[in-house]
Amino acid sequence: MEKVDNAKGLSDIELNELVNRYITQMTLDEKLDQMSGNGILKYLIKDRNFGVRAYPGGGVERLKIPPFLFTDGPRGVIIPGSTCFPVSMARGATWDIDLEEEVGEAIGKEVRAHGGNLFGGVCINLLRHPAWGRAQETYGEDPFLLGMLGTALLRGVQKHNVMATIKHYALNSIEDARFKVNVEIDERTLREVYLPHFKYCIEQGCATVMSAYNKMRGEYCGHNAYLLREILKKEWGFKGFVHSDWMWGLRDTIGGITGGLDVEMPRKKYYGKKLKRAIRNGKVPVELIDDAARRVIRTVLKFTTREDPQEYTKDLIGCENHVLLSRKVAEKSMVLLKNDRNLLPFDKHKIKTLAVIGPLANLKNTGDHGSSYVKQNKIITPLQGIKRFSGEYINILYHDGSDLEDVKNLVASADAAVIIVGYTYKDEGESIPLIKRGGDRINLGLKSEEIELIKVVSEIKFNSVIVLVGGSAIIMEEWKNVVPSIIMAWYSGMEGGTALANILFGKVNPSGKLPVSIPKDPADLPFFDRNADEIEYGYYHGYTLMDKKKCEPAFPFGFGLSYTNYNYKNLQAKTTVDSIIASVTVSNIGSIAGEEIAQLYIGFENSAVDRPLKILRGFKKIPLEPDESKTISIEVKKKDLAWYNPETKSWEIEDMKYSIYVGSSSSANDLLKIDINL
Ligand code: BGC
């Protein structure tokens, strides 16, 4: 097939003409072939493993229409050897749209180098509750943040002519019950809380959508005509194709095709022959097949006819530049939660002996072992990272923490201690039937032996830093007051150990901010049931719920310390025809350079309807040298102030006084506030 200029690609008219030409030449069987993956069992037997190749579907050899070739993410391309990035939740903590686009580009290049063209790894499900096993695969609890980072990833991926998939559409926020749970939700909550991030990604030109396993309002999402046909395809004008999630994403031939599911993955179970029979029996109009086949070949042709911006040779896979990028992301993702007496950064010349302790200190621990598991061996553990950094200057004493008497002796002879605790793929992750691992978390805090370890070490040495590993919020009330320093390190990818050392010793000034709220008490969270058959998703969760209930989180959404301090002043706002533009002066008032993430929330105190106290509507990363000040502006589109009126079935912007909050976290103490009329 002839290639066309990448920036432009085929125009819509040219593309449609080409697709029409093909559709008229295709047989019914060829059209049906577009609507399924080419099977999985044969590859599993051949490879004796999952995810070691890109899995094909669609394509017509006779007409030279290429197949789509699917591979998973989002931690990187899961095929062996690929760069293992920090998990999406960590990337959410960077609040860095440009950086996430760079990650997308690296992933796009590696997909192509592996021979794939479809990346099934833009996971943007909303974190409703930190127990959700797959929390690590998404970017946090806030729809706006999810939308901004999801669009960045897909933009990067698609630059390299790889079709991106956003998943799992929609309401997929419980893992263990994912195949059966029915989510009840009112229209405002659906539109304002659980769908905006999907809509942002569709507006950005996302090529494909993966439907979720769970049900919404009694109907499986893969059959859900309201979600797929009405909202996605009709209202949002989505032109790409919808493919099912893999194991039980489609349960019924007619349900799927009438519901708007274009492609069954990964094999022909309910489509293929059964779909052909349904057409012959007059139960399914052939126009639906034409529409689905057209969507698949249109999308595949759109991406495969564009000229590539570069070559994609195998040496791109896990290449040095991508590994360095992974390190940079890890450095920008770690969140300094507590740092009493400025214990950190450690002074390399003052600390002679450092104890590195804990079950996770020397473990290759990059996250879950389900479909997002990037098979990469070159992982720097925290202990390796710290040892490399320390070189000959510091004596490192390591213990896995299993014997407290040994630990006590070891810590007594050290100048400071770093304790690395938290979760692994055994505690949280994708739940794969028959293989017992992952799934939703049972506890939201640390294990009792880890808490004991923290307490024992802290009694001997007050100079201890707790490094937490996990995919979302960890409750810390039992021990957080007995330690001076806490770092939330997430699952930090193949270079996480290096990044951690760079932060501990001050080579890097931490800049990450929480993409989730960390509660003091599980009672401050919405109801969660990992085995639910039915659940209702309410309008409030995360910081909007805590604002509503007026309860203080342990650490608020958007919070993160630095080795320097920032000051905000002079908040102003003006309106234009379609936006509000806020400006504020941010200063670095400490003695080292850093990067501050300024956040803008809109407040609705004067609303005539029930609305959150405030919601995130903008943010900006600001690099600042010591004593430097910058006046920055953040724009909010007026359409992003709207609420969804279920009676008029439309988005409405209230004519009232809005509050603008700008500052360093979602806590009222950290925000400046002014009011503005539209
Ligand atoms: C997961 C998807 C994944 C698919 C293919 C499913 O079980 O839910 O996220 O893309 O498997 O591996």
Side-chain angles (χ1 to χ4, degrees):
M1 201 147 310
E2 231 169 81
K3 300 273 179 182
V4 292
D5 182 84
N6 179 50
K8 292 192 222 93
L10 290 176
S11 70
D12 276 358
I13 297 176
E14 289 163 333
L15 192 57
N16 288 341
E17 276 172 5
L18 186 65
V19 172
N20 286 341
R21 230 179 22 246
Y22 280 132
I23 282 284
T24 51
Q25 294 173 44
M26 282 162 73
T27 64
L28 179 60
D29 284 334
E30 284 169 340
K31 288 178 192 168
L32 288 169
D33 277 347
Q34 305 314 302
M35 298 175 64
S36 300
N38 286 2
I40 183 78
L41 200 61
K42 57 188 176 206
Y43 300 117
L44 292 180
I45 293 170
K46 204 168 181 182
D47 303 338
R48 291 161 175 255
N49 206 345
F50 172 74
V52 299
R53 63 166 75 220
Y55 298 112
V60 190
E61 239 183 290
R62 180 177 71 86
L63 298 174
K64 297 199 172 57
I65 301 177
F68 57 83
L69 293 145
F70 174 99
T71 178
D72 268 306
R75 209 183 310 161
V77 185
I78 68 160
I79 303 176
S82 310
T83 308
C84 179
F85 289 97
V87 295
S88 300
M89 189 59 81
R91 280 141 52 190
T94 69
W95 298 58
D96 197 325
I97 294 172
D98 295 337
L99 192 63
E100 188 59 7
E101 191 167 329
E102 272 185 61
V103 171
E105 283 218 43
I107 289 177
K109 290 177 196 173
E110 295 197 19
V111 171
R112 293 296 306 276
H114 280 296
N117 63 16
L118 174 57
F119 177 62
V122 185
C123 180
I124 50 168
N125 290 113
L126 178 135
L127 183 80
R128 180 180 166 270
H129 191 287
W132 179 37
R134 295 180 76 175
Q136 61 188 271
E137 289 186 56
T138 194
Y139 297 108
E141 70 180 41
D142 181 84
F144 185 78
L145 186 62
L146 282 166
M148 294 307 107
L149 289 164
T151 47
L153 182 66
L154 81 88
R155 257 198 316 274
V157 166
Q158 294 196 166
K159 267 190 199 164
H160 295 280
N161 294 329
V162 171
M163 296 168 264
T165 296
I166 43 172
K167 68 186 188 185
H168 309 81
Y169 182 70
L171 309 174
N172 185 304
S173 299
I174 304 179
E175 184 56 11
D176 291 359
R178 64 179 171 161
F179 300 126
K180 61 167 186 171
V181 65
N182 175 41
V183 180
E184 287 299 330
I185 188 164
D186 66 52
E187 199 59 21
R188 276 194 67 199
T189 308
L190 178 69
R191 302 290 188 144
E192 293 180 32
V193 184
Y194 287 88
L195 294 190
H197 30 294
F198 285 97
K199 187 165 181 233
Y200 283 125
C201 291
I202 298 301
E203 286 167 354
Q204 190 62 229
C206 188
T208 79
V209 173
M210 184 187 287
S211 59
Y213 286 128
N214 52 281
K215 298 178 201 164
M216 179 187 91
R217 297 180 185 154
E219 188 63 87
Y220 285 109
C221 291
H223 305 184
N224 203 305
Y226 187 58
L227 281 177
L228 301 180
R229 289 206 181 277
E230 190 60 33
I231 298 181
L232 177 68
K233 293 181 176 175
K234 200 162 139 207
E235 272 182 42
W236 298 350
F238 175 61
K239 298 267 187 310
F241 63 89
V242 180
H243 49 116
S244 71
D245 203 346
W246 281 39
M247 277 176 277
W248 290 284
L250 174 64
R251 313 247 181 169
D252 171 57
T253 308
I254 306 212
I257 186 70
T258 52
L261 185 88
D262 303 304
V263 177
E264 176 180 32
M265 288 299 278
R267 65 197 166 117
K268 296 185 173 104
K269 188 171 176 207
Y270 293 103
Y271 282 1
K273 280 187 195 140
K274 286 188 184 155
L275 188 51
K276 192 170 179 184
R277 213 173 305 135
I279 301 163
R280 293 266 146 82
N281 296 340
K283 289 190 179 145
V284 171
V286 78
E287 292 74 36
L288 293 189
I289 308 301
D290 280 355
D291 177 58
R294 189 185 292 274
R295 283 174 179 275
V296 176
I297 63 170
R298 185 182 189 280
T299 312
V300 169
L301 289 170
K302 181 173 176 174
F303 280 78
T304 52
T305 53
R306 286 200 297 222
E307 200 169 283
D308 287 327
Q310 64 173 77
E311 297 257 300
Y312 300 101
T313 46
K314 291 270 183 219
D315 56 3
L316 284 167
I317 300 166
C319 67
E320 199 187 338
N321 279 346
H322 294 176
V323 175
L324 289 175
L325 177 63
S326 176
R327 182 192 301 173
K328 184 169 162 192
V329 176
E331 288 168 347
K332 287 177 189 276
S333 73
M334 293 187 185
V335 185
L336 181 64
L337 292 174
K338 196 175 175 197
N339 196 23
D340 290 355
R341 300 178 285 113
N342 291 332
L343 173 64
L344 290 176
F346 288 141
D347 185 337
K348 199 171 168 175
H349 304 288
K350 284 201 184 133
I351 294 205
K352 300 270 174 288
T353 304
L354 180 68
V356 178
I357 302 163
L360 306 185
N362 200 25
L363 194 72
K364 294 183 174 180
N365 185 17
T366 60
D368 117 301
H369 281 195
S371 63
S372 71
Y373 183 24
V374 175
K375 291 147 202 98
Q376 169 59 257
N377 296 323
K378 293 184 205 141
I379 295 159
I380 309 295
T381 68
L383 180 66
Q384 286 168 338
I386 292 169
K387 274 190 171 165
R388 275 195 198 175
F389 191 96
S390 317
E392 290 155 17
Y393 294 96
I394 303 170
N395 181 25
I396 303 293
L397 305 174
Y398 160 69
H399 198 286
D400 68 5
S402 54
D403 182 323
L404 290 184
E405 286 312 309
D406 279 3
V407 168
K408 280 184 198 167
N409 293 333
L410 192 120
V411 168
S413 61
D415 299 309
V418 178
I419 307 174
I420 298 151
V421 284
Y423 301 125
T424 71
Y425 71 93
K426 294 182 185 156
D427 307 302
E428 56 180 0
E430 189 171 350
S431 154
I432 316 271
L434 305 178
I435 307 171
K436 194 50 218 147
R437 61 184 180 205
D440 296 313
R441 281 189 199 166
I442 295 170
N443 291 316
L444 296 180
L446 294 178
K447 298 178 190 82
S448 54
E449 58 276 18
E450 291 174 324
I451 296 177
E452 181 72 20
L453 176 68
I454 292 174
K455 288 184 175 165
V456 163
V457 173
S458 307
E459 260 170 38
I460 305 171
K461 268 278 112 72
F462 197 57
N463 283 355
S464 34
V465 179
I466 311 303
V467 177
L468 295 171
V469 179
S472 73
I474 296 176
I475 294 188
M476 303 171 216
E477 295 314 290
E478 275 179 81
W479 53 267
K480 88 168 196 265
N481 293 333
V482 304
V483 298
S485 288
I486 307 172
I487 294 175
M488 182 72 214
W490 318 105
Y491 297 107
S492 49
M494 64 192 292
E495 278 291 313
T498 317
L500 178 65
N502 287 346
I503 285 187
L504 289 171
F505 290 98
K507 186 172 173 196
V508 168
N509 186 358
S511 60
K513 302 244 186 188
L514 290 175
V516 293
S517 312
I518 302 189
K520 287 186 174 159
D521 186 334
D524 302 337
L525 296 164
F527 172 75
F528 185 85
D529 173 7
R530 57 211 291 267
N531 296 310
D533 291 316
E534 288 281 328
I535 196 161
E536 185 170 355
Y537 283 7
Y539 188 58
Y540 293 98
H541 72 282
Y543 68 87
T544 62
L545 181 62
M546 294 194 204
D547 275 353
K548 177 91 177 165
K549 288 175 39 175
K550 296 196 173 55
C551 61
E552 276 285 304
F555 298 100
F557 175 82
F559 177 80
L561 299 170
S562 154
Y563 295 152
T564 185
N565 288 304
Y566 304 103
N567 169 278
Y568 285 71
K569 57 176 189 290
N570 200 18
L571 173 61
Q572 294 182 6
K574 61 176 188 195
T575 58
T576 66
V577 182
D578 55 7
S579 338
I580 296 176
I581 298 172
S583 66
V584 72
T585 305
V586 187
S587 312
N588 180 348
I589 53 170
S591 55
I592 57 167
E595 280 184 324
E596 167 66 337
I597 300 163
Q599 300 151 48
L600 182 151
Y601 299 81
I602 299 282
F604 305 98
E605 291 96 327
N606 302 307
S607 173
V609 288
D610 180 30
R611 299 189 76 173
L613 178 72
K614 61 177 186 302
I615 49 177
L616 182 74
R617 278 295 176 266
F619 54 89
K620 202 163 239 174
K621 198 159 219 179
I622 319 154
L624 287 165
E625 293 298 319
D627 294 326
E628 191 184 13
S629 294
K630 279 183 188 154
T631 299
I632 56 134
S633 60
I634 302 180
E635 185 181 1
V636 182
K637 295 277 177 218
K638 284 186 185 167
K639 70 176 174 45
D640 283 339
L641 305 182
W643 69 287
Y644 188 81
N645 185 340
E647 271 158 34
T648 57
K649 293 194 166 65
S650 61
W651 290 92
E652 292 178 10
I653 301 175
E654 291 180 277
D655 185 10
M656 62 171 188
K657 194 181 276 177
Y658 291 85
S659 307
I660 314 279
Y661 299 90
V662 178
S664 61
S665 92
S666 67
S667 163
N669 302 330
D670 293 335
L671 292 165
L672 301 176
K673 179 187 176 200
I674 52 164
D675 291 336
I676 191 165
N677 279 308
L678 284 196

